Amino acid sequence: MISFLNLKAINAVNRDELIEACTRVIDSGWYITGNELACFENDFARYCGTSHCIGVANGLDALTLTLRAWKELGRLKEGDEVIVPANTYIASILAITENRLIPVLVEPDEASYNLCPLKAEAAITPKTRVILAVHLYGQLADMPALLEVAERHNLLVLEDAAQAHGASLDGRKAGNWGDAAGFSFYPGKNLGALGDAGAITTSDDDLAQTLRALRNYGSHEKYQNLYQGVNSRLDEIQAAMLGVKLKYLDKQTAQRRQIANLYLEGISNSAIQLPCCPNPEQHVWHLFVVRSQQRDALQQHLTEAGVQTLIHYPIPPHLQQAYAQWNGRNYPLTEAMHQQVLSLPMGPTMSADDAQAVVRACNQWAG
Ligand SMILES: *Cc1c(COP(=O)(O)O)cnc(C)c1O
């Protein structure tokens, strides 16, 4: 069986260094908000090209706390609208509703699966304050056009960069386009911890300061609480793991791009639609997502051929029970995508032979 993602193999690449870093933390006697976190925050801010990186407990918190911080800073208030792609992973939307802001779901661009600047602009009302751009599947959204829309309408821009570590356009990386960006370091993400972790990148000093307080009970200084904050910290062990793995991210992205190129050049089947990638730097291939009218039959065929696949995602947010109030709405493009998308095996340790076997299995499918 060709597995969808082999996390054990990925972490085996730096096994000795990870163990060494773990040992360093154990022996330091300091386990929360110490030197490991400060070093990783510094390294990741430099990697993204922003002035600040604020480590938090996970990617959902990174998004939720950023919106919360903007409320504390008086830039947002309850009931303000946030434009977000209708086909995103539900976490982007949970961050909005958790803050009692209103998500305005917008159908994506058909070719990139990302927020369409024209449709986003058409959805703006007098209550709109934020564009939440998601770099879905690892492809940077059309940020130059979205920033133009935001500037014209005086909107904040938040990037959901949970799937796009290292994606770039014109030399500018994911996490460095919006007023702020949320990253996840969930183990299966392109930069993954060995547990939960997340971070916000921003070049806004006030926002960074507010976030540092919010993640730590609302406290800038011990026992002085400015806000009703939360406990959402990135611990020393995970920061140390991420510090090791960040050094290998670009190499691993290159390996993902090689697998993607084998798929793009090799798969030729009129019943399988390949992803579009106009600019190689813009995509870091967190997922390689194909489309088919007979998706379930394709998945079954691949399973029988020994190829493990997954669906990202089977149910769109507006059809989830959690958002029952939206269940009657129609987003035809989003709904079609959820019925048609299928993610092929992808990862930095996947061999070219395995990728070729996936190509053959796809090409053998009668459709
Ligand atoms: C993974 C993910 C998140 C949430 O990250 P967690 O660390 O799992 O909380 C948010 N948005 C997108 C697009 C994601 O893929």
Side-chain angles (χ1 to χ4, degrees):
M1 194 80 183
I2 298 172
S3 68
F4 179 75
L5 175 73
N6 189 341
L7 277 181
K8 187 171 161 178
I10 290 172
N11 287 320
V13 173
N14 329 111
R15 190 172 181 277
D16 292 344
E17 260 186 282
L18 290 170
I19 290 171
E20 198 178 273
C22 220
T23 306
R24 184 174 69 232
V25 176
I26 293 168
D27 293 346
S28 76
W30 193 283
Y31 307 113
I32 298 278
T33 49
N35 198 39
E36 300 289 344
L37 177 63
C39 284
F40 174 70
E41 287 180 336
N42 197 40
D43 290 350
F44 196 63
R46 186 170 333 122
Y47 180 82
C48 294
T50 55
S51 326
H52 305 279
C53 166
I54 302 98
V56 293
N58 54 63
L60 173 58
D61 279 1
L63 298 169
T64 307
L65 291 176
T66 302
L67 294 169
R68 169 82 192 275
W70 281 335
K71 283 171 75 185
E72 298 291 352
L73 289 166
R75 299 178 196 170
L76 288 182
K77 60 177 186 318
E78 268 186 34
D80 284 347
E81 291 177 357
V82 179
I83 287 176
V84 63
N87 61 320
T88 186
Y89 180 57
I90 198 158
S92 325
I93 294 170
L94 292 172
I96 300 169
T97 53
E98 172 66 23
N99 278 292
R100 297 176 181 277
L101 301 164
I102 313 294
V104 175
L105 307 182
V106 173
E107 290 260 60
D109 171 64
E110 272 254 63
S112 68
Y113 303 121
N114 278 330
L115 203 52
C116 164
L118 288 176
K119 293 177 200 165
E121 187 158 28
I124 292 172
T125 77
K127 289 169 88 177
T128 309
R129 290 290 174 273
V130 183
I131 295 177
L132 204 175
V134 185
H135 308 311
L136 200 67
Y137 305 148
Q139 181 163 221
L140 198 84
D142 185 353
M143 294 313 290
L146 289 169
L147 290 194
E148 254 183 56
V149 172
E151 202 161 314
R152 249 197 314 278
H153 299 270
N154 197 20
L155 307 177
L156 292 161
V157 175
L158 174 57
E159 296 172 68
D160 181 341
Q163 302 187 353
H165 318 72
S168 72
L169 180 62
D170 303 331
R172 190 168 168 188
K173 285 213 172 76
N176 184 12
W177 287 86
D179 297 283
F183 283 90
S184 166
F185 307 119
Y186 180 79
K189 300 290 159 86
N190 287 28
L191 177 59
L194 278 69
D196 272 317
I200 300 106
T201 55
T202 182
S203 293
D204 178 337
D205 297 344
D206 293 335
L207 177 66
Q209 215 190 7
T210 308
L211 283 165
R212 284 184 194 286
L214 282 175
R215 74 169 173 189
N216 189 36
Y217 314 119
S219 169
H220 290 280
E221 250 175 87
K222 209 166 186 179
Y223 304 126
Q224 290 186 35
N225 295 72
L226 217 50
Y227 312 108
Q228 295 170 23
V230 298
N231 177 349
S232 180
R233 297 177 300 225
L234 201 178
D235 65 71
E236 291 288 282
I237 290 261
Q238 295 309 335
M241 301 297 95
L242 289 165
V244 170
K245 293 186 73 178
L246 178 58
K247 292 187 289 180
Y248 301 93
L249 177 60
D250 286 345
K251 184 172 171 212
Q252 297 195 332
T253 299
Q255 290 167 324
R256 287 174 183 272
R257 286 183 177 139
Q258 276 172 10
I259 300 298
N261 283 335
L262 291 175
Y263 286 162
L264 288 169
E265 284 160 17
I267 298 173
S268 171
N269 183 329
S270 59
I272 301 175
Q273 188 186 323
L274 294 170
C276 294
C277 177
N279 171 1
E281 293 300 305
Q282 208 169 333
H283 212 318
V284 293
W285 302 104
H286 173 58
L287 297 169
F288 191 96
V289 177
V290 300
R291 271 176 86 173
S292 174
Q293 304 273 353
Q294 305 125 299
R295 188 264 316 274
D296 294 345
L298 173 60
Q299 184 170 40
Q300 193 183 340
H301 164 82
L302 290 174
T303 305
E304 282 161 12
V307 176
Q308 188 188 15
T309 58
L310 293 175
I311 295 167
H312 298 90
Y313 298 90
I315 305 172
H318 74 278
L319 296 180
Q320 296 286 354
Q321 207 177 329
Y323 292 117
Q325 69 273 31
W326 305 334
N327 288 176
R329 294 198 197 164
N330 292 311
Y331 297 96
L333 287 180
T334 296
E335 285 158 31
M337 281 171 194
H338 286 73
Q339 281 157 17
Q340 295 172 1
V341 292
L342 188 67
S343 306
L344 301 184
M346 169 57 73
T349 60
M350 193 174 173
S351 70
D353 282 353
D354 279 357
Q356 295 296 4
V358 175
V359 168
R360 277 195 304 278
C362 287
N363 292 346
Q364 277 159 6
W365 184 50

